Amino acid sequence: MDRKSFFSTLRRRETPAAGDWDFNAVKEAVEAGIAPVKGKLNDTQLRHLLRRAMFGASENDLHHFSGKKIKKIMQELLADTDMPAPPVNNYNDPPEKKDDVNYYVDEEIPEGQTWITATITNGKNNGRRKNSFKAWWVSQMLNQSPNIREKMVLFWHNHFATETAVIDNAIYIYRHNELLRKHALGNFKDMVKAITLDPAMLKYLNGNANTKKAPDENYGRELQELFTVGKGPDSRYTENDVKAAARVLTGYRIDNKTFTSVFEPGRHDDTDKQFSEFYHNTVIKGRKKEEGKEELDELIDMIFAQPEVAKFICRKLYRFFVYHQIDDKAEANVITPLADVFRKNKYEIKPVLEALFSSDHFFEAANYGGMIKSPVDLVVGFCREFEVKFDNANAVPDQYGLWLQLQQQASSMQQNIGDPPNVAGWQAYYQEPQYDKLWISSDTLPKRNQFTDRMINNGLTRSKAKLVVDVLQFTKDIPRAEDPNALIAELSKLFYSVSLSPEEQQFIKVNTLLSGLTNMQSDHYWTDAWKAFLQNPDDKKNKDVVVKKLKALYRYMMNRPEYQLC
């Protein structure tokens, strides 16, 4: 299906019923604001929540949360989790390549040991470590616990966007990601200060080159424009505010021995900094020596005194997790009360997420399937929904190699984790009026379909390791799989955020499980074949028929436009 057909198929939908979706639907019941939903979530609601809060909604995730009240679900989704073990050396060349001119073995870090404590960084190991980092990050998404942290790490990575190609030091890159993980569900104000002093960000936005003799406005601008107050109608900071903020931030540099940021008073502008009426004409008094560091706290306090900070972040959370369009009603009845929650809780992130995900508004029918999956959501969610196993991937290089291939698949669809296009992040999260529709193009849509086809047909390989959907094992776990109608109905609930009509389900059945039959309505054909397989799995002829039909079914369902929605 091409891009034009993709969007026209979605537009054919009429007013949504519960669980259905209209591409141009006006947001319903926004007037309900963030009034909390009560009691237990039904199956449709739970799937919607998990698809948005995690990468895909696997049956294991659903079983874990099923029957629990919304408050208990929120406690688990927003619970603090342990920091994961860091990435390791997976990049040594095998002995058989010893005669290769580019042969490399890390003499400092043995295979299987983490490289984040390494003291030697050079052109031979740095690129390999960056790939190791990206593969490791994918593994965290694939193996996430029933928790929102991994989705929030991606959210903050897009918000505080940096590029590994610019930072160009794998240790700084990893530590930046570690910082995002540490603060992902913590205090946003603390996070902003930590990001400001983060060596990766100092490198990326020239903070390490910002001195009193040559003030660099790069970070001072993005701190306000992209990270805190934004560019909304009530964000009226001035160009002079950018210049003043840059002067406050002078004096910081990177210590490449300790991999930390340090403050040098001699590089700091110790004169007074005057801000505009937007910041109530605040003057940050210049300080000498080590006391110059105190100016940063005053700058952050001044910025966070602006109500627009809370509104700006709540709008970004809404567009990332709910829907791209924020009209006047949504602004008044959802964004404004969420921002009040944010400020009243002194910029703690968890209360805002709990209020949003517990709200009646979040579960309005118009929000179901209202977003196009990002490439990362598609690739990781696919693997999690199909519970894809890493066959024979016991060796570290093989595991990392397969993880990296998944990362490269998402990158080919225009979402390269670690390397968004620029400091503003990926356009699909902010570019009006298209937003998430930007994920779909004449280039990326075929690649999405090719990825799911490949994972169902032959999968990804690395040495003797393989990553592929086991269609037989997966189908065995589906209730009443012998009934083609029940099977397709259950798969539709698992894979789609929108409901299919009986006619659509019948079309899928006839053109996959029953294709090639003279009597296309012969349901017993599939029933007999599936039961025969269960009774005698060694019957190669029948097994081949079953596998062929299942692969056709799953390929077709993945290629429908509905699978691109969450």
Side-chain angles (χ1 to χ4, degrees):
M1 178 174 289
D2 60 24
R3 185 176 186 271
K4 183 177 180 180
S5 300
F6 174 84
F7 285 117
S8 69
T9 299
L10 295 179
R11 290 194 185 98
R12 285 201 297 269
R13 298 188 175 275
E14 296 179 354
T15 303
D20 208 351
W21 184 76
D22 181 344
F23 191 77
N24 293 314
V26 176
K27 304 297 288 174
E28 295 180 359
V30 171
E31 291 83 356
I34 56 170
V37 68
K38 298 179 180 179
K40 297 179 181 179
L41 299 181
N42 61 37
D43 182 73
T44 302
Q45 290 172 319
L46 181 57
R47 290 177 188 273
H48 173 61
L49 172 62
L50 297 184
R51 286 187 180 109
R52 296 295 177 87
M54 302 175 67
F55 292 99
S58 72
E59 286 300 300
N60 285 337
D61 299 326
L62 292 161
H63 290 156
H64 178 82
F65 287 110
S66 181
K68 296 180 180 179
K69 292 184 177 180
I70 185 66
K71 190 170 184 63
K72 176 62 175 175
I73 293 174
M74 285 298 107
Q75 287 175 348
E76 293 192 40
L77 276 178
L78 302 176
D80 292 327
T81 56
D82 294 334
M83 294 292 285
V88 301
N89 173 2
N90 67 295
Y91 47 78
N92 282 351
D93 286 331
E96 58 266 27
K97 288 190 176 182
K98 195 166 186 179
D99 294 332
D100 191 306
V101 66
N102 294 315
Y103 177 77
Y104 177 77
V105 170
D106 193 328
E107 300 293 344
E108 181 184 11
I109 307 296
E111 183 177 296
Q113 299 296 311
T114 184
W115 45 261
I116 68 165
T117 55
T119 59
I120 301 173
T121 299
N122 54 45
K124 290 186 176 181
N125 61 34
N126 196 43
R128 296 174 186 235
R129 289 173 183 171
K130 286 192 286 186
N131 284 338
S132 170
F133 161 75
K134 290 188 177 187
W136 168 86
W137 190 356
V138 168
S139 78
Q140 303 310 310
M141 299 179 196
L142 288 169
N143 300 307
Q144 64 189 278
S145 60
N147 190 277
I148 198 175
R149 183 178 295 274
E150 285 304 320
K151 206 63 173 285
M152 287 302 296
V153 170
L154 182 62
F155 171 82
W156 291 122
H157 171 52
N158 180 71
H159 182 73
F160 295 110
T162 58
E163 300 171 67
T164 65
V166 176
I167 299 169
D168 200 33
N169 184 302
I171 294 176
Y172 292 141
I173 291 164
Y174 167 76
R175 290 195 176 188
H176 175 79
N177 186 272
E178 186 180 41
L179 187 156
L180 297 180
R181 290 175 180 280
K182 177 182 176 182
H183 292 276
L185 295 171
N187 185 279
F188 178 60
K189 188 176 179 181
D190 291 344
M191 190 181 198
V192 169
K193 181 175 180 180
I195 287 288
T196 302
L197 300 178
D198 174 47
M201 186 62 77
L202 286 174
K203 173 72 179 295
Y204 183 60
L205 290 181
N206 302 332
N208 60 323
N210 185 18
T211 68
K212 63 182 180 182
K213 291 184 178 179
D216 189 297
E217 299 168 11
N218 209 356
Y219 185 79
R221 183 180 307 281
E222 308 308 357
L223 172 64
Q224 297 170 81
E225 181 177 316
L226 296 179
F227 300 162
T228 55
V229 294
K231 296 186 287 187
D234 295 322
S235 300
R236 300 187 302 276
Y237 62 89
T238 68
E239 190 65 21
N240 284 335
D241 291 331
V242 171
K243 297 178 185 295
R247 290 167 53 216
V248 168
L249 296 167
T250 53
Y252 293 95
R253 67 170 181 82
I254 300 171
D255 186 330
N256 290 312
K257 292 183 178 180
T258 61
F259 305 109
T260 60
S261 60
V262 295
F263 179 75
E264 287 192 357
R267 292 158 51 100
H268 177 63
D269 184 334
D270 58 14
T271 62
D272 294 349
K273 291 85 179 176
Q274 173 74 57
F275 290 85
S276 71
E277 184 179 357
F278 176 68
Y279 291 118
H280 307 294
N281 298 310
T282 296
V283 175
I284 294 182
K285 300 292 292 183
R287 291 169 173 78
K288 300 180 183 297
K289 300 182 179 180
E290 287 294 322
E291 293 179 354
K293 292 188 292 186
E294 298 173 7
E295 294 181 35
L296 172 58
D297 292 320
E298 284 196 32
L299 175 65
I300 292 176
D301 287 343
M302 179 192 75
I303 291 174
F304 275 77
Q306 290 298 318
E308 191 61 19
V309 173
K311 288 185 177 181
F312 177 60
I313 299 303
C314 288
R315 290 186 197 109
K316 293 201 73 169
L317 288 167
Y318 187 90
R319 288 192 169 108
F320 192 90
F321 287 108
V322 184
Y323 192 62
H324 66 262
Q325 180 179 323
I326 302 177
D327 58 19
D328 291 342
K329 288 183 179 179
E331 180 73 19
N333 298 314
V334 181
I335 302 303
T336 296
L338 279 179
D340 289 341
V341 170
F342 207 10
R343 288 195 301 274
K344 289 177 181 178
N345 285 276
K346 299 180 180 179
Y347 293 98
E348 290 292 327
I349 297 162
K350 285 185 182 180
V352 177
L353 294 176
E354 182 171 3
L356 178 61
F357 288 124
S358 301
S359 68
D360 280 331
H361 174 71
F362 179 79
F363 294 103
E364 284 300 319
N367 288 326
Y368 289 29
M371 298 171 65
I372 294 173
K373 294 174 183 175
S374 74
V376 170
D377 244 320
L378 177 78
V379 170
V380 176
F382 175 94
C383 292
R384 297 189 72 252
E385 288 169 348
F386 274 103
E387 299 175 5
V388 178
K389 301 295 189 296
F390 285 65
D391 292 338
N392 301 318
N394 296 319
V396 167
D398 290 345
Q399 286 182 325
Y400 273 70
L402 290 173
W403 294 334
L404 187 62
Q405 286 190 54
L406 290 175
Q407 182 271 324
Q408 291 167 343
Q409 291 287 325
S411 179
S412 74
M413 303 171 201
Q414 304 305 312
Q415 193 172 27
N416 182 3
I417 57 171
D419 285 287
N422 52 56
V423 68
W426 285 282
Q427 289 182 319
Y429 294 122
Y430 69 85
Q431 186 66 60
E432 298 182 68
Q434 292 182 295
Y435 289 100
D436 52 321
K437 283 184 276 187
L438 290 168
W439 292 128
I440 302 297
S441 70
S442 58
D443 174 62
T444 61
L445 182 57
K447 288 178 179 176
R448 287 172 173 244
N449 295 338
Q450 290 161 12
F451 166 73
T452 54
D453 284 355
R454 181 176 181 179
M455 292 298 295
I456 292 166
N457 288 335
N458 301 309
L460 304 173
T461 59
R462 207 242 187 223
S463 285
K464 296 181 180 180
K466 194 165 191 177
L467 192 63
V468 66
V469 172
D470 185 339
V471 294
L472 293 174
Q473 184 59 52
F474 182 79
T475 309
K476 284 180 183 178
D477 295 332
I478 303 297
R480 299 173 60 204
E482 74 279 0
D483 180 345
N485 301 296
L487 174 60
I488 291 172
E490 189 64 27
L491 293 175
S492 298
K493 287 197 301 181
L494 176 61
F495 295 139
Y496 299 155
S497 302
V498 296
S499 60
L500 295 181
S501 68
E503 293 76 17
E504 289 172 311
Q505 294 188 42
Q506 177 72 5
F507 181 85
I508 294 173
K509 177 185 72 173
V510 168
N511 286 278
T512 57
L513 296 180
L514 305 183
S515 65
L517 296 182
T518 302
N519 180 2
M520 290 297 199
Q521 308 305 316
S522 303
D523 286 1
H524 69 83
Y525 169 76
W526 168 254
T527 302
D528 293 345
W530 181 249
K531 286 184 174 179
F533 163 71
L534 294 180
Q535 292 170 1
N536 185 10
D538 296 326
D539 182 343
K540 184 177 185 305
K541 184 176 180 180
N542 183 64
K543 181 179 179 181
D544 288 345
V545 169
V546 169
V547 169
K548 181 179 179 180
K549 296 297 182 185
L550 286 176
K551 287 187 175 183
L553 170 63
Y554 291 132
R555 285 196 307 268
Y556 183 80
M557 294 193 77
M558 299 303 100
N559 284 325
R560 285 183 64 96
E562 290 86 354
Y563 189 67
Q564 307 303 324
L565 306 177
C566 69

